[in-house]
Amino acid sequence: MSLFNVFEISSSAIAAQSQRLNVTASNIANADSVAGPDGKPYQAKQVVFQAVPTADGERAPAKVQVAGIVDDTTPGRTVYNPSHPLADAAGYVTMPNVSVVEEMVNMILGQRAYEASSKVIKAADEMLAQINNIVR
């Protein structure tokens, strides 16, 4: 594996974690959205990652890419609020299935993975600069 593969792998991780952070931010922003454009409560989204072999073949480490963004199927919580316009006959309102605590954990994990990948790129860049100085 060459140092150039390190750049390819780390940059793919940065792109994937960036998308994860965007989805997490969207989930947090919609944690109290009782009705979306379709009239239903917001459904939390989750990012699905997949490994993709690098150009060197199957024996080399894999890049990461986002395979898709899927709806979280966890049912939304219900809150008793009979005065709410969207309350059912029993006075309950179905809220989004977003757990702000879980989303904050996702955000911290995504941020740390993003930082780790950027540090790998920085270290590989410094190694290439040192190799270039030795060759001169």
Side-chain angles (χ1 to χ4, degrees), residues 12-27:
S12 73
I14 285 175
Q17 293 304 329
S18 176
Q19 195 159 1
R20 177 186 191 180
L21 290 170
N22 284 335
V23 168
T24 301
S26 177
N27 286 343

Side-chain angles (χ1 to χ4, degrees), residues 68-114:
I69 298 173
V70 297
D71 285 339
D72 186 348
T73 58
T74 307
R77 59 188 166 89
T78 55
V79 175
Y80 183 70
N81 186 355
S83 64
H84 196 283
L86 296 177
D88 63 12
Y92 287 93
V93 179
T94 303
M95 300 297 289
N97 62 347
V98 176
S99 168
V100 176
V101 173
E102 288 179 20
E103 295 302 328
M104 291 303 294
V105 170
N106 269 340
M107 187 171 286
I108 291 168
L109 291 172
Q111 179 184 6
R112 295 220 173 124
Y114 188 100

Side-chain angles (χ1 to χ4, degrees), residues 3-86:
L3 276 176
F4 296 108
N5 282 2
V6 172
F7 291 115
E8 187 178 1
I9 293 167
S10 294
S11 64
S12 73
I14 285 175
Q17 293 304 329
S18 176
Q19 195 159 1
R20 177 186 191 180
L21 290 170
N22 284 335
V23 168
T24 301
S26 177
N27 286 343
I28 291 171
N30 288 294
D32 291 324
S33 298
V34 178
D38 59 357
K40 297 179 183 176
Y42 178 80
Q43 288 283 66
K45 312 282 188 256
Q46 299 298 324
V47 178
V48 178
F49 298 118
Q50 76 178 35
V52 177
T54 59
D56 289 350
E58 293 182 23
R59 296 194 57 108
K63 301 183 295 182
V64 65
Q65 75 177 19
V66 174
I69 298 173
V70 297
D71 285 339
D72 186 348
T73 58
T74 307
R77 59 188 166 89
T78 55
V79 175
Y80 183 70
N81 186 355
S83 64
H84 196 283
L86 296 177

